[in-house]
Amino acid sequence: MLILLERNVREYKDNEKFEVILMNPPYGGAEGEQIKNNFPADLRSSETADLFISLIMYRLKENGRAAVIIPDGFLFGLDNAKVAIKKKLFSEFNVHTIIRLPASVFAPYTSITTNIIFFDNTGTTKETYFYRLDMPEEYKHFSKTKPMKLEHFADCIKWWNDRCDIQDEDTDTYKAKVYTLEEIVNRNYDIDLCGYPTVEEEVLSPEETILEYKEKRATLNAKIDKKLQEIENILGVKLC
């Protein structure tokens, strides 16, 4: 897929563009100057995922639609290139929906938290809906043996067809909310919105922290000693 970045994006002709683009581009990587030079100066991010967003903008036909997996860093990143990419995206395309995905969706391959951004080439953004897709109650995390399934999107699909703001009264945060382009611009394109509530950790005193770690170490040592004893019994040997 990275070979797609090896061509100057300004060279694409209309017959090389697409009506529908669905993509889960690579992320977490960094690109060198040779690749970055294929993009306009203000869009030359070193991050692979950022460059793919720009590539999609150049290859989406008029009235075309796109749905792209993006990492959290794209939402809250405020370096010059990221802001320029988001400014182009929101001013030239209609970014109508962003779905915040729970952590571990792509476990065990990556732990990076991701989102789905939906946009079309029908004009500038007027407003953007954000929706937080929470972890299913019976799951602590996703894994290779317990992957995310289509059924986990049931509430999201229901909301999609009847959009409204949803406030989580327990955490005083929004699970779903619409933001105008003006609000997004005023945030300097920090679109880390309707995210997951931060879990507050109990802050212990230094003495309590030391005691807690000593207890954990003692428990771990006991488990190791028990396992070693079991192995020695199986082998019929006594190791020092």
Side-chain angles (χ1 to χ4, degrees):
M1 186 178 285
L2 290 176
I3 195 171
L4 294 173
L5 301 178
E6 296 179 355
R7 181 175 173 185
N8 193 312
V9 294
R10 289 155 290 198
E11 296 177 353
Y12 285 108
K13 299 178 175 61
D14 288 342
N15 62 357
E16 297 177 288
K17 297 182 179 181
F18 300 94
E19 293 181 354
V20 177
I21 296 178
L22 304 174
M23 186 177 287
N24 181 9
Y27 39 84
E31 304 300 326
E33 293 300 319
Q34 185 175 354
I35 293 295
K36 290 163 62 176
N37 287 337
N38 290 323
F39 296 82
D42 60 331
L43 306 181
R44 290 175 186 170
S45 171
S46 60
E47 295 190 32
T48 305
D50 295 350
L51 296 178
F52 269 100
I53 290 292
S54 294
L55 173 65
I56 292 168
M57 288 191 282
Y58 277 92
R59 300 204 66 180
L60 190 62
K61 282 186 177 181
E62 184 177 356
N63 297 319
R65 299 172 294 152
V68 187
I69 303 291
I70 54 171
D72 265 6
F74 180 79
L75 299 189
F76 58 72
L78 294 177
D79 59 81
N80 292 339
K82 267 193 177 61
V83 171
I85 293 169
K86 287 186 277 190
K87 183 177 180 179
K88 178 179 176 66
L89 181 62
F90 279 83
S91 63
E92 298 181 17
F93 297 81
N94 174 33
V95 184
H96 55 83
T97 312
I98 294 178
I99 305 298
R100 311 297 305 266
L101 297 177
S104 70
V105 168
F106 294 104
Y109 307 105
T110 179
S111 60
I112 296 175
T113 305
T114 54
N115 312 266
I116 312 175
I117 183 168
F118 296 85
F119 59 94
D120 54 54
N121 193 1
T122 60
T124 188
T125 302
K126 301 291 191 301
E127 59 185 21
T128 303
Y129 282 89
F130 290 76
Y131 180 92
R132 186 182 75 223
L133 200 160
D134 293 323
M135 185 74 72
E137 291 184 1
E138 69 275 15
Y139 283 67
K140 289 185 178 180
H141 55 79
F142 295 110
S143 65
K144 194 171 183 179
T145 56
K146 292 184 68 176
M148 193 174 199
K149 301 177 181 179
L150 180 60
E151 64 197 52
H152 297 144
F153 284 87
D155 289 342
C156 180
I157 294 171
K158 182 179 179 180
W159 168 86
W160 185 286
N161 296 320
D162 185 20
R163 301 186 178 210
C164 61
D165 290 357
I166 303 173
Q167 189 165 14
D168 187 339
E169 296 180 357
D170 293 334
T171 61
D172 196 31
T173 61
Y174 278 96
K175 176 180 172 68
K177 195 175 189 310
V178 62
Y179 291 87
T180 65
L181 178 61
E182 182 180 7
E183 290 176 304
I184 290 171
V185 171
N186 288 340
R187 292 173 58 89
N188 195 29
Y189 297 95
D190 175 356
I191 51 175
D192 184 16
L193 300 164
C194 294
Y196 296 87
T198 301
V199 179
E200 294 185 2
E201 296 184 358
E202 181 182 6
V203 179
L204 303 176
S205 68
E207 292 79 9
E208 290 172 324
T209 301
I210 292 171
L211 180 61
E212 179 177 316
Y213 275 99
K214 283 185 175 180
E215 290 175 347
K216 288 181 178 179
R217 183 177 64 183
T219 300
L220 180 60
N221 285 340
K223 290 181 179 179
I224 293 173
D225 289 341
K226 181 180 179 181
K227 182 60 66 175
L228 287 174
Q229 184 63 56
E230 291 173 354
I231 295 172
E232 288 176 353
N233 292 340
I234 292 172
L235 297 177
V237 297
K238 182 67 175 176
L239 301 177
C240 297

